[in-house]
Amino acid sequence: MTQMVEQTRFQKRLKREKNLFIPFIMSGDPTPEATVEIAYTMQQSGADVLELGVPYSDPLADGPTIQEAAGRALSQGMNLTEAMKLVPKMRERGVTIPIVLFTYYNPVLRYGLEAFAKAMEENDVDGLLIPDIPLEESEEIREFTEQYGVELISLVAPNSEERIKRIAEQAKGFLYCVSSLGVTGERKDMNPDIASFLEKVKHYSQVPVAVGFGISSYEQVKLVQGHSDGVIIGSKIIKLIDAHREALSNETTRAGALQELQSEVEQLVKGNE
Amino acid sequence: MTQMVEQTRFQKRLKREKNLFIPFIMSGDPTPEATVEIAYTMQQSGADVLELGVPYSDPLADGPTIQEAAGRALSQGMNLTEAMKLVPKMRERGVTIPIVLFTYYNPVLRYGLEAFAKAMEENDVDGLLIPDIPLEESEEIREFTEQYGVELISLVAPNSEERIKRIAEQAKGFLYCVSSLGVTGERKDMNPDIASFLEKVKHYSQVPVAVGFGISSYEQVKLVQGHSDGVIIGSKIIKLIDAHREALSNETTRAGALQELQSEVEQLVKGNE
Amino acid sequence: MSVVYPDNRGRYGDYGGQFVPETLMAPLKEIEDALNEAMKDESFQKEYRNELEHYSGRPTALTYADQLTKTLGGAKIYLKREDLNHTGAHKLNNAIGQALLAKRMGKKKIIAETGAGQHGVASATVAAKLGLECKVFMGEKDIERQQLNVFRMQLLGAEVISVSSGDKTLKDATNEAIRYWVAHCDDHYYLIGSVVGPHPYPKMVRDFQRVIGDETKRQFKEKEGKLPDRIYACVGGGSNAIGMFYPFLEDDVELVGIEAAGKGIDTPDHAATLLNGTQGIIHGSMTYLIQDDHGQIVEPYSISAGLDYPGIGPEHAYLHSSGRVRYESITDAEALEAVKTLSQAEGIIPAIESAHAIAQAVKEAKQMDPSETIVINVSGRGDKDMNTIMEQFQEG
Amino acid sequence: MSVVYPDNRGRYGDYGGQFVPETLMAPLKEIEDALNEAMKDESFQKEYRNELEHYSGRPTALTYADQLTKTLGGAKIYLKREDLNHTGAHKLNNAIGQALLAKRMGKKKIIAETGAGQHGVASATVAAKLGLECKVFMGEKDIERQQLNVFRMQLLGAEVISVSSGDKTLKDATNEAIRYWVAHCDDHYYLIGSVVGPHPYPKMVRDFQRVIGDETKRQFKEKEGKLPDRIYACVGGGSNAIGMFYPFLEDDVELVGIEAAGKGIDTPDHAATLLNGTQGIIHGSMTYLIQDDHGQIVEPYSISAGLDYPGIGPEHAYLHSSGRVRYESITDAEALEAVKTLSQAEGIIPAIESAHAIAQAVKEAKQMDPSETIVINVSGRGDKDMNTIMEQFQEG
Ligand SMILES: Cc1ncc(COP(=O)(O)O)c(C=O)c1O
Ligand SMILES: Cc1ncc(COP(=O)(O)O)c(C=O)c1O
């Protein structure tokens, strides 16, 4: 912990630590080109961090919306290698916020842990989120992410209980709080116990605490922001993008669709005005 | 055994004790009326005894030919009661040879043993052959057949061995020798051991020994006659009748068919001239 | 056991005997002699018990039906698990015994009749196991309805012979098997599947099935320290029932045999031979059967192929007439409901045959005191019936 | 038994572990604690053994395969008869154990995944027996292919939930069951059907299946006075194999696991995970799996629905890497031939899964000396496969 002096790429790129808006988009959905533009649009809509999903055949932490997005992306030939290649293009396009790669562990293992961490650095990826490794299994990859300056994002869940402290204390980048038991996807109601859960998490966390899983309306965004440092919005963003699928896939209609998408996203995170 | 002096109806009607020809016909096949005429035709063809079959739903000693004849007769509404009623009509038509009713035991039980024996007497039936009661089970019916003057015909088979003596010694009417193991129906070859078997049977029998099961050609008739007192021909006769089914069913064509049948039967039992 | 029947003519009171063509008297005698000698031979007994244990998996369990008992709130219910036998029913107990006897007699070929295919499969199974040739007679209609069992028999190496005489079902398959046997009795052994047919079959099959009752008695005593108050078993030909009842005949235990009432005992479509049939001869035995006024055998009806037989074992006719066993009947609809009941209460899907016994027991258990105990013989598993049950539940 | 894995992270060497979303860490811990406590509790052990004996019918027989041995002329062959278990396969051993644990943990609802329906039926069965609610996740494609098993589960009172994600088969049903569990882990217990999934499942399922090997060891010693030279078991997820192997790991017995080679191990259509797969994560466990160059899981292929799984239990991955167990593979065609072989030689129609083990054993037994002995684990009966087998033989 003696090297804490130097800031990570993630930290450098993160512009604030409160009221964070972290959208999740799926690489290659609807097309790789569109994904680059969508990333930029998210930033324009106020995103503070971008979660860039890598499609996986067996996304067992995801609900139907993200599963289907992954299916579409896979059929576009998207994979871990290709997803990383999108990041430099996003930078070129003007994306300056931290980009966190969201991928299941198996493709990472297949790629090779060190090679992968190195590739993330080369491609200017700032953070990594692997939904299927808990703290106990994260040692190996953590060694390499630290070596290559990538923040390994941790998750806590409402049932993490005495694990919260351990997880929160070593959290990097931001701490991903799962809003309630279950997979990704919209939820009608927010977990009523979320406030006390978030208090506990914030008590231990050195990094911003963002809440994800099921946030899909401005009301929920407001509610959650009140108790945390930010919101992560996945399935709802995927749905907004999917509504423009055809227009986004086509270069000639893309700009218009992105504009509409931007205003929809703004409405979602900033409310009716 | 003091009443042995008086001859039974069967004995009175039996004209000879050698070279017997005993055809089997099925009551009601093709029609009840035709059966009466067929019976007379058999007598004209040289029959010495007539075996009159009663159709049964489960004729387990019979091969396909007689099974099918029974099926046709059942669908004509034939049954034990109706079959017995044919006998007085045969007498009217001029049939003077002994008539032996061939029926499985269950219809007899259903009719009632004594009532049945009495009905046989009333209808001028001379003998009774039940293929599914061996000596050991024949006591009850025998009591009544004796009381009503009906000869209960016994069967011996090639595998009867030490039973032959017991069966033969109490045989009435004629002794039915099963030519070989199996059910009724034609056989290509005759049992080669038949001669010694028949010698043994004749040694114990007080009544004519006739051979049945599978006899279907003049050659077989000759062969069997050489070793016994007669032949019983069933399936082959049924087939000859069945070949004229339509003509026999129809009153206007019946006479011609009967004539043809007569000559066919004569050829079968007397050879080519 | 001092029950003194059958007598030396194979009679149970008025019932039983040998109403067969003369040609079968010799083979029946041969079997009777071989059987008597085998049963006295400790090495035969040992071989038989060895196959039951190490091949078929006996003893079968006696399962306490915890949830069913609690739901009904009456008598304590135990299930004798013949469904756990190899091939899925009690049929194998008998098939093993007879096939060993056949082998001992030097017969290399066996024949068997089958309706739904259960006994056919059991016969084909033991034939394979003992290296015997096996021909199974099966009605043309049943072959169509039970294609999987037909294939199963063929896979086991048996030849399935299609019977097109009569109604083309079990009764006719049995006729045809007997006919074939008459012609081939010198080198074929006829392996009958229930306590029916001419003497010594009913006695022999009973003696090979009594292991059910013997085990139950021992197991029940171990668990409850006494004998059960009532025992239930379904009755087709009657082999699982007699196998269960026989060792209890002289005990103070109420025995209940359940026949198939099909669409109702007051309709023509039933198979309730004792309750609704009349005395007569079928397949060589004096017993009860379903027949018309002229003594023609009538095709019975039950949704369960194994109870769909127009006759019944002569010993049951005797036990009915003597009053020692009480006979009841259960309809198709009640049996299907009982399949569901047992499946959901105990996780055991019974054969529809066995469900007849379950249905009657469920009716009565409710009325009984919790201090009373009953045993239901689950003669077989329901896997073979899934298509039928599925069709029925989807219709209804 | 001094085998010291899994370690406290659930690792068997490099394999195993808990590669799951954070939300599952608490329920997994809850299960692990409950399991450790239950396993030490004599009353739990007694209850488990009681259900095995009096419900499922254990011990299952160890059958000497007389004719098969003679025909092959090599090693003396014994068959461990898991096909005789209630519901027809070893699957029930584990389902009973886990359902008892679930009940002990106060869970009233269980969920399970199933491919062909065997584990679904086993789960539905124990749920009925223990009065638990049961949801079974099953791929849409499998539901279509296995209608009878679907109906069987429903008859047992379970709800079958159609899974339309991914390839709509077992792998996806498992994903979906895990997803459902994540959301409902407060009152649901997830009953996994093989030695797969995150720790403590592979260990727990092994410990509930080791009864196979424990019994075999005792029975074999009784019959032969020694241990067998080789033991064969098929490997899908690996539960019947590990259940058989585990008690022999420290003995001088050669252990052979047989994977499904499908249309050939050199074609894309196989399920030979260890022999032809690569290391990775599936369903929460580090093990071997069938995947593409980008780490996407690939749908495996085998004619047998129970071996058609892209992963394998982590303990097998370890035993493969350590060389303690030898793994072989058998094609569809060889397995089908073995179904026929065992059916006709012994009157036992094995599940196609089990036939893979039989095929390999037959190959090797011929080469062995008559003084040597082998045991084949017949993990299940073939009734469930009759349609498949029939179609194959009618095509071929
Ligand atoms: C499971 C089962 N139970 C009962 C029966 C009826 O036969 P029995 O009355 O001889 O036991 C059968 C006949 O196939 C059967 O398969
Ligand atoms: C009979 C049988 N054997 C084997 C298997 C494979 O599972 P495992 O490898 O866990 O024993 C299955 C799975 O359904 C099965 O039904």
Side-chain angles (χ1 to χ4, degrees), chain A residues 133-146:
Chain A
I133 46 172
L135 184 60
E136 289 79 349
E137 302 289 1
S138 65
E139 220 167 275
E140 284 155 305
I141 183 73
R142 191 180 303 274
E143 183 187 325
F144 295 111
T145 52
E146 287 183 355

Side-chain angles (χ1 to χ4, degrees), chain C residues 321-335:
Chain C
S321 70
S322 78
R324 175 63 189 94
V325 175
R326 171 160 61 92
Y327 292 87
E328 304 282 353
S329 73
I330 282 293
T331 64
D332 287 0
E334 292 171 316

Side-chain angles (χ1 to χ4, degrees), chain C residues 54-55 63-64 67 81 86 125 128 131 151-152 155-156 223 343-347 349 381 383 386 390, chain D residues 54-55 63 67 81 86 125 128-129 131 151-152 155-156 223 343-347 349 381 383 386 390:
Chain C
H54 300 295
Y55 184 61
T63 303
Y64 170 49
Q67 291 213 100
R81 302 290 304 283
H86 182 45
T125 296
F151 179 66
R152 186 172 286 138
L155 185 56
L156 289 160
K223 285 177 203 248
S343 299
Q344 300 191 352
E346 301 297 332
I349 303 179
R381 65 184 183 227
D383 298 49
M386 292 315 294
M390 194 157 73
Chain D
H54 300 295
Y55 183 62
T63 303
Q67 291 213 103
R81 301 289 304 284
H86 181 48
T125 295
K129 167 81 179 159
F151 179 66
R152 187 172 285 138
L155 185 57
L156 289 161
K223 285 176 203 251
S343 299
Q344 300 192 353
E346 300 297 333
I349 305 178
R381 65 184 183 227
D383 298 49
M386 292 316 294
M390 194 158 74

